[in-house]
Amino acid sequence: MSDKFDVIVIGGGPGGYVAAIRAAQLGLKTACIDAFTGKDGKASPGGTCLNVGCIPSKTLLDSSKHFHHVQHDYAAHGITVSDAQIDVPQMIARKDGVVRKLTGGVSQLLKGNKVSFFHGTGKLKTGLEVEITPADEGDTISLHGKNIILASGSVPIEIPGVPFDGEYIVDNVGALDFDHVPDTLGVIGAGVIGLELGSVWNRLGSKVTLLEALPDFLALADKDISKQALREFKKQGLEIHLGSMVKSAGVEDGKVKVTIEDAKGEHQHTFERLLVSVGRKPYTDGLLSEDCGVKLTEKGQIDVNEQSQTSVPGVWAIGDCVRGPMLAHKASEEGVAVAELIAGKPANIHFDTVPWVVYTDPEIAWVGKTEQELQAAGIDYKTGSFPFAANGRALAGGHSSGMVKMLADAETDEILGVHIFGANASELVSECVVAMEFQGASEDLARIVHAHPTLSEAVHEAALHLDGRAIHRGN
Ligand code: FAD
Ligand code: NAD
């Protein structure tokens, strides 16, 4: 095989593999290098997202939701199920099967698009050269690219004094693979991972306590939504301590002892297992040779401009290892955009309309600005909202918690943000993303026919409410 490529992608996560496929579709001779090794000891492209992130977490969220429904919700439908049991190894095996299917699918897609795949670690050298150390410890391979795309992703942040041990004190990888339901689970950080994986084990019967340093719950979300969500999650049995800064943790007699400091001073908590989910940091270990010329930011991200170009011409970087939200869909869209720019096509991404989703039950999803951000920016806005408790489909399905809140410019009526707490919020937000991409007004969503009975009618009603003409709620 020739060692010269138009595009070499280092990293095969949702940023890297998507960039590689799009580059190949555009007729560019493309290689993709990924270091991840699956549980079967083989290459497992798909990155954090497919292997130990988005997909396995959503698989366990779904399994645990079934278990919860059987125990708590079926009786109201007149369905009696006695003695429901959870078989954790079977649940984990199903999750691993879903991961295998998807990562195998990515391998097939790369092959089908004639992307040359290398299982190993890639290092950028000077002169657009990439050196690969194969995962099977074979001889190093050297490739040359006209363009290199760095897509090396991110890893969990470790708190000083709280070392991961892979069994008692774990990150997302460990919490996706517990072999039984821990009686008690401590979670440091009530962010996205803490809430999602905390919900999984809470539904399966663990007593889950989240210790969050900030005084505010889900500080990135709109306050009306985070307030409702906090109430709801506490009702579900999650114990959430805000303003609790973790100082240290250690394992004693098979239990994890955690020392925290809050307004009342220092306390200790004891848990069977501890999940640390205090954020992720860009991963660039072993990626860059000292003289390759690629600059990093103070935060350790690969420094890129708006078009994802690094400080070295011909070297690009995308996904979690660069600025912006650490989200799979953001990484993938950057991958597509960079491949298209390399092929000489116009491409850009509207970061303002990247949707956010937290896959709790109910889900939290939003796009655009929060009310707090609009206030801070001095923008004159109007709001509309609609509770799912007044939506027929939500009641029929037993999903009456939550609401849709819409924010629009007071003068032009352009939609500036939509915030949803409710069943299928992850799907409902897409309509709002489309509306905002087209610089739509709340009047546009108010005039569009929404099927009845659907949850999407709550979005429709929130848009109507902005103009004081919601039909199914008092204005
Ligand atoms: P990654 O997916 O991290 O992929 C990088 C790949 O590059 C890895 O396979 C790594 O092994 C490889 N690599 C690194 N260095 C080298 C090298 N030198 N040579 C070769 N290979 C290398 N996001 C969402 O949008 N929705 C979700 O529901 C969601 N859920 C998540 C749940 C969890 C538990 C976690 C941890 C994350 C979740 N995320 C979610 C975030 C999402 O996983 C990331 O934003 C996304 O994976 C970033 O994609 P990426 O391609 O930039 O990096
Ligand atoms: P996060 O940033 O969502 O939450 C981390 C939380 O930990 C914050 O609330 C922070 O205040 C708190 N914290 C930090 N230090 C602390 C300390 N010493 N003691 C107590 N609390 C502390 O990070 P995460 O949950 O680890 O997730 C990482 C990233 O992965 C997310 O930002 C997101 O980009 C991505 N992710 C996305 C999804 C999704 O899209 N559904 C799901 C999981 C992860």
Short mmCIF file of all heavy atoms in Angstrom, two decimals, residues 44-84:
data_model
loop_
_atom_site.label_atom_id
_atom_site.label_comp_id
_atom_site.label_asym_id
_atom_site.label_seq_id
_atom_site.Cartn_x
_atom_site.Cartn_y
_atom_site.Cartn_z
N SER A 44 -11.92 -1.21 17.73
CA SER A 44 -13.32 -0.89 17.98
C SER A 44 -13.55 0.60 17.69
O SER A 44 -13.71 1.41 18.60
CB SER A 44 -13.63 -1.23 19.45
OG SER A 44 -15.00 -1.19 19.70
N PRO A 45 -13.54 0.95 16.39
CA PRO A 45 -13.68 2.38 16.06
C PRO A 45 -15.05 2.89 16.52
O PRO A 45 -16.00 2.13 16.62
CB PRO A 45 -13.56 2.40 14.53
CG PRO A 45 -13.89 1.02 14.08
CD PRO A 45 -13.44 0.11 15.18
N GLY A 46 -15.11 4.20 16.77
CA GLY A 46 -16.35 4.77 17.30
C GLY A 46 -16.05 5.66 18.49
O GLY A 46 -16.89 6.42 18.96
N GLY A 47 -14.81 5.53 19.02
CA GLY A 47 -14.36 6.45 20.06
C GLY A 47 -15.10 6.28 21.38
O GLY A 47 -15.72 5.25 21.66
N THR A 48 -15.00 7.32 22.19
CA THR A 48 -15.68 7.35 23.48
C THR A 48 -17.17 7.13 23.27
O THR A 48 -17.81 6.36 23.99
CB THR A 48 -15.46 8.74 24.14
OG1 THR A 48 -14.06 8.96 24.27
CG2 THR A 48 -16.15 8.83 25.48
N CYS A 49 -17.71 7.82 22.29
CA CYS A 49 -19.16 7.85 22.09
C CYS A 49 -19.75 6.44 21.95
O CYS A 49 -20.66 6.06 22.68
CB CYS A 49 -19.48 8.69 20.86
SG CYS A 49 -21.20 8.73 20.43
N LEU A 50 -19.21 5.67 21.02
CA LEU A 50 -19.80 4.35 20.76
C LEU A 50 -19.37 3.31 21.79
O LEU A 50 -20.12 2.40 22.12
CB LEU A 50 -19.43 3.86 19.35
CG LEU A 50 -20.46 4.18 18.26
CD1 LEU A 50 -20.72 5.67 18.16
CD2 LEU A 50 -20.00 3.65 16.91
N ASN A 51 -18.13 3.44 22.29
CA ASN A 51 -17.59 2.40 23.17
C ASN A 51 -17.92 2.58 24.64
O ASN A 51 -18.31 1.63 25.31
CB ASN A 51 -16.06 2.33 23.01
CG ASN A 51 -15.66 1.69 21.69
OD1 ASN A 51 -15.80 0.48 21.53
ND2 ASN A 51 -15.18 2.49 20.75
N VAL A 52 -17.74 3.80 25.14
CA VAL A 52 -17.89 4.02 26.60
C VAL A 52 -18.61 5.33 26.91
O VAL A 52 -18.40 5.92 27.97
CB VAL A 52 -16.50 4.01 27.30
CG1 VAL A 52 -15.91 2.61 27.32
CG2 VAL A 52 -15.53 5.00 26.65
N GLY A 53 -19.43 5.80 25.98
CA GLY A 53 -20.09 7.10 26.19
C GLY A 53 -21.56 7.06 25.82
O GLY A 53 -22.37 6.36 26.44
N CYS A 54 -21.89 7.83 24.78
CA CYS A 54 -23.29 8.04 24.39
C CYS A 54 -24.09 6.74 24.29
O CYS A 54 -25.16 6.61 24.89
CB CYS A 54 -23.39 8.71 23.02
SG CYS A 54 -22.09 9.87 22.60
N ILE A 55 -23.57 5.79 23.52
CA ILE A 55 -24.37 4.60 23.20
C ILE A 55 -24.52 3.64 24.39
O ILE A 55 -25.65 3.29 24.75
CB ILE A 55 -23.79 3.89 21.95
CG1 ILE A 55 -23.90 4.82 20.74
CG2 ILE A 55 -24.49 2.56 21.70
CD1 ILE A 55 -25.31 5.27 20.37
N PRO A 56 -23.43 3.23 25.05
CA PRO A 56 -23.64 2.34 26.19
C PRO A 56 -24.45 2.99 27.30
O PRO A 56 -25.26 2.32 27.96
CB PRO A 56 -22.22 2.00 26.65
CG PRO A 56 -21.33 3.00 25.99
CD PRO A 56 -22.00 3.42 24.75
N SER A 57 -24.27 4.32 27.50
CA SER A 57 -25.05 4.96 28.58
C SER A 57 -26.54 4.97 28.23
O SER A 57 -27.39 4.71 29.07
CB SER A 57 -24.53 6.36 28.89
OG SER A 57 -24.59 7.20 27.76
N LYS A 58 -26.84 5.25 26.95
CA LYS A 58 -28.27 5.27 26.58
C LYS A 58 -28.87 3.86 26.61
O LYS A 58 -30.05 3.67 26.92
CB LYS A 58 -28.46 5.88 25.18
CG LYS A 58 -28.74 7.37 25.22
CD LYS A 58 -27.51 8.24 25.39
CE LYS A 58 -27.30 8.87 26.70
NZ LYS A 58 -26.08 9.68 26.79
N THR A 59 -28.05 2.85 26.31
CA THR A 59 -28.54 1.47 26.36
C THR A 59 -28.91 1.11 27.80
O THR A 59 -29.99 0.55 28.06
CB THR A 59 -27.45 0.51 25.82
OG1 THR A 59 -27.00 1.01 24.57
CG2 THR A 59 -27.99 -0.88 25.63
N LEU A 60 -28.04 1.46 28.75
CA LEU A 60 -28.35 1.16 30.15
C LEU A 60 -29.49 2.03 30.67
O LEU A 60 -30.29 1.59 31.50
CB LEU A 60 -27.11 1.35 31.04
CG LEU A 60 -25.92 0.42 30.79
CD1 LEU A 60 -24.87 0.61 31.88
CD2 LEU A 60 -26.35 -1.04 30.72
N LEU A 61 -29.57 3.26 30.17
CA LEU A 61 -30.70 4.12 30.58
C LEU A 61 -32.01 3.46 30.15
O LEU A 61 -32.98 3.43 30.90
CB LEU A 61 -30.57 5.52 29.96
CG LEU A 61 -29.66 6.47 30.75
CD1 LEU A 61 -29.15 7.61 29.89
CD2 LEU A 61 -30.38 7.02 31.99
N ASP A 62 -32.03 2.90 28.94
CA ASP A 62 -33.26 2.26 28.46
C ASP A 62 -33.57 0.99 29.27
O ASP A 62 -34.71 0.78 29.68
CB ASP A 62 -33.16 1.94 26.97
CG ASP A 62 -33.50 3.17 26.12
OD1 ASP A 62 -34.13 4.10 26.66
OD2 ASP A 62 -33.12 3.22 24.95
N SER A 63 -32.55 0.17 29.51
CA SER A 63 -32.78 -1.06 30.30
C SER A 63 -33.33 -0.71 31.68
O SER A 63 -34.31 -1.30 32.14
CB SER A 63 -31.47 -1.84 30.47
OG SER A 63 -31.02 -2.32 29.24
N SER A 64 -32.69 0.26 32.32
CA SER A 64 -33.10 0.59 33.69
C SER A 64 -34.49 1.22 33.71
O SER A 64 -35.24 1.07 34.67
CB SER A 64 -32.07 1.51 34.36
OG SER A 64 -31.95 2.72 33.66
N LYS A 65 -34.83 1.90 32.61
CA LYS A 65 -36.17 2.51 32.52
C LYS A 65 -37.24 1.41 32.47
O LYS A 65 -38.27 1.51 33.13
CB LYS A 65 -36.24 3.38 31.27
CG LYS A 65 -37.16 4.57 31.43
CD LYS A 65 -36.69 5.77 30.68
CE LYS A 65 -37.28 5.99 29.36
NZ LYS A 65 -36.93 7.23 28.71
N HIS A 66 -36.96 0.35 31.71
CA HIS A 66 -37.91 -0.77 31.65
C HIS A 66 -38.13 -1.34 33.06
O HIS A 66 -39.26 -1.59 33.46
CB HIS A 66 -37.38 -1.89 30.74
CG HIS A 66 -37.48 -1.57 29.28
ND1 HIS A 66 -38.68 -1.28 28.67
CD2 HIS A 66 -36.54 -1.50 28.31
CE1 HIS A 66 -38.47 -1.04 27.38
NE2 HIS A 66 -37.18 -1.16 27.14
N PHE A 67 -37.02 -1.54 33.78
CA PHE A 67 -37.12 -2.13 35.11
C PHE A 67 -37.94 -1.22 36.03
O PHE A 67 -38.80 -1.69 36.78
CB PHE A 67 -35.71 -2.34 35.67
CG PHE A 67 -35.68 -3.08 36.98
CD1 PHE A 67 -36.22 -4.35 37.08
CD2 PHE A 67 -35.10 -2.52 38.11
CE1 PHE A 67 -36.20 -5.05 38.29
CE2 PHE A 67 -35.07 -3.21 39.32
CZ PHE A 67 -35.62 -4.47 39.40
N HIS A 68 -37.68 0.07 35.93
CA HIS A 68 -38.40 1.04 36.77
C HIS A 68 -39.90 1.02 36.43
O HIS A 68 -40.75 1.00 37.31
CB HIS A 68 -37.83 2.44 36.56
CG HIS A 68 -38.48 3.47 37.42
ND1 HIS A 68 -38.00 3.78 38.68
CD2 HIS A 68 -39.57 4.23 37.23
CE1 HIS A 68 -38.78 4.70 39.22
NE2 HIS A 68 -39.74 5.01 38.35
N HIS A 69 -40.21 1.03 35.13
CA HIS A 69 -41.62 1.04 34.71
C HIS A 69 -42.35 -0.20 35.22
O HIS A 69 -43.48 -0.11 35.71
CB HIS A 69 -41.73 1.10 33.18
CG HIS A 69 -41.37 2.44 32.61
ND1 HIS A 69 -41.55 3.61 33.30
CD2 HIS A 69 -40.84 2.79 31.41
CE1 HIS A 69 -41.13 4.63 32.55
NE2 HIS A 69 -40.69 4.15 31.41
N VAL A 70 -41.71 -1.36 35.08
CA VAL A 70 -42.34 -2.61 35.54
C VAL A 70 -42.70 -2.47 37.02
O VAL A 70 -43.79 -2.84 37.45
CB VAL A 70 -41.37 -3.80 35.35
CG1 VAL A 70 -41.87 -5.02 36.11
CG2 VAL A 70 -41.21 -4.14 33.89
N GLN A 71 -41.79 -1.93 37.79
CA GLN A 71 -42.00 -1.86 39.24
C GLN A 71 -42.94 -0.76 39.68
O GLN A 71 -43.68 -0.91 40.63
CB GLN A 71 -40.66 -1.63 39.92
CG GLN A 71 -39.74 -2.83 39.84
CD GLN A 71 -38.51 -2.56 40.66
OE1 GLN A 71 -37.87 -1.52 40.49
NE2 GLN A 71 -38.17 -3.46 41.55
N HIS A 72 -42.90 0.37 38.98
CA HIS A 72 -43.60 1.55 39.51
C HIS A 72 -44.75 2.06 38.65
O HIS A 72 -45.61 2.77 39.14
CB HIS A 72 -42.60 2.70 39.73
CG HIS A 72 -41.51 2.33 40.67
ND1 HIS A 72 -41.69 2.33 42.03
CD2 HIS A 72 -40.25 1.93 40.45
CE1 HIS A 72 -40.56 1.94 42.62
NE2 HIS A 72 -39.68 1.69 41.68
N ASP A 73 -44.76 1.77 37.37
CA ASP A 73 -45.74 2.44 36.50
C ASP A 73 -46.78 1.50 35.90
O ASP A 73 -47.85 1.95 35.51
CB ASP A 73 -45.01 3.17 35.36
CG ASP A 73 -44.00 4.18 35.89
OD1 ASP A 73 -44.27 4.73 36.98
OD2 ASP A 73 -42.96 4.39 35.25
N TYR A 74 -46.46 0.21 35.79
CA TYR A 74 -47.39 -0.69 35.10
C TYR A 74 -48.71 -0.86 35.85
O TYR A 74 -49.76 -1.01 35.24
CB TYR A 74 -46.75 -2.06 34.87
CG TYR A 74 -45.80 -2.11 33.68
CD1 TYR A 74 -45.39 -0.94 33.04
CD2 TYR A 74 -45.31 -3.32 33.21
CE1 TYR A 74 -44.52 -0.98 31.97
CE2 TYR A 74 -44.44 -3.37 32.13
CZ TYR A 74 -44.04 -2.19 31.52
OH TYR A 74 -43.19 -2.24 30.46
N ALA A 75 -48.65 -0.84 37.18
CA ALA A 75 -49.86 -1.08 37.97
C ALA A 75 -50.96 -0.10 37.59
O ALA A 75 -52.14 -0.48 37.49
CB ALA A 75 -49.54 -0.99 39.45
N ALA A 76 -50.58 1.16 37.33
CA ALA A 76 -51.58 2.18 36.97
C ALA A 76 -52.27 1.84 35.65
O ALA A 76 -53.40 2.27 35.40
CB ALA A 76 -50.91 3.54 36.87
N HIS A 77 -51.60 1.05 34.81
CA HIS A 77 -52.19 0.64 33.53
C HIS A 77 -53.00 -0.66 33.69
O HIS A 77 -53.50 -1.20 32.71
CB HIS A 77 -51.08 0.40 32.49
CG HIS A 77 -50.33 1.63 32.10
ND1 HIS A 77 -50.66 2.39 31.00
CD2 HIS A 77 -49.26 2.26 32.66
CE1 HIS A 77 -49.82 3.42 30.90
NE2 HIS A 77 -48.97 3.36 31.91
N GLY A 78 -53.06 -1.16 34.93
CA GLY A 78 -53.78 -2.40 35.17
C GLY A 78 -52.95 -3.64 34.88
O GLY A 78 -53.46 -4.73 34.69
N ILE A 79 -51.64 -3.46 34.81
CA ILE A 79 -50.75 -4.60 34.51
C ILE A 79 -50.02 -4.98 35.78
O ILE A 79 -49.37 -4.14 36.41
CB ILE A 79 -49.72 -4.23 33.42
CG1 ILE A 79 -50.42 -3.74 32.16
CG2 ILE A 79 -48.80 -5.41 33.11
CD1 ILE A 79 -49.51 -3.06 31.16
N THR A 80 -50.16 -6.24 36.18
CA THR A 80 -49.46 -6.69 37.38
C THR A 80 -48.29 -7.57 36.99
O THR A 80 -48.45 -8.53 36.23
CB THR A 80 -50.41 -7.52 38.28
OG1 THR A 80 -51.62 -6.78 38.43
CG2 THR A 80 -49.79 -7.79 39.63
N VAL A 81 -47.13 -7.19 37.46
CA VAL A 81 -45.95 -8.04 37.24
C VAL A 81 -45.37 -8.27 38.62
O VAL A 81 -45.00 -7.32 39.31
CB VAL A 81 -44.89 -7.34 36.36
CG1 VAL A 81 -43.69 -8.24 36.14
CG2 VAL A 81 -45.48 -6.89 35.04
N SER A 82 -45.34 -9.52 39.03
CA SER A 82 -44.83 -9.74 40.38
C SER A 82 -43.37 -10.18 40.33
O SER A 82 -42.94 -10.81 39.37
CB SER A 82 -45.68 -10.78 41.12
OG SER A 82 -45.75 -11.93 40.34
N ASP A 83 -42.65 -9.79 41.35
CA ASP A 83 -41.28 -10.25 41.55
C ASP A 83 -40.35 -9.97 40.37
O ASP A 83 -39.64 -10.87 39.90
CB ASP A 83 -41.32 -11.76 41.86
CG ASP A 83 -40.00 -12.20 42.52
OD1 ASP A 83 -39.36 -11.35 43.15
OD2 ASP A 83 -39.64 -13.38 42.36
N ALA A 84 -40.35 -8.72 39.89
CA ALA A 84 -39.42 -8.37 38.79
C ALA A 84 -37.99 -8.40 39.33
O ALA A 84 -37.73 -7.93 40.44
CB ALA A 84 -39.75 -6.99 38.27
#
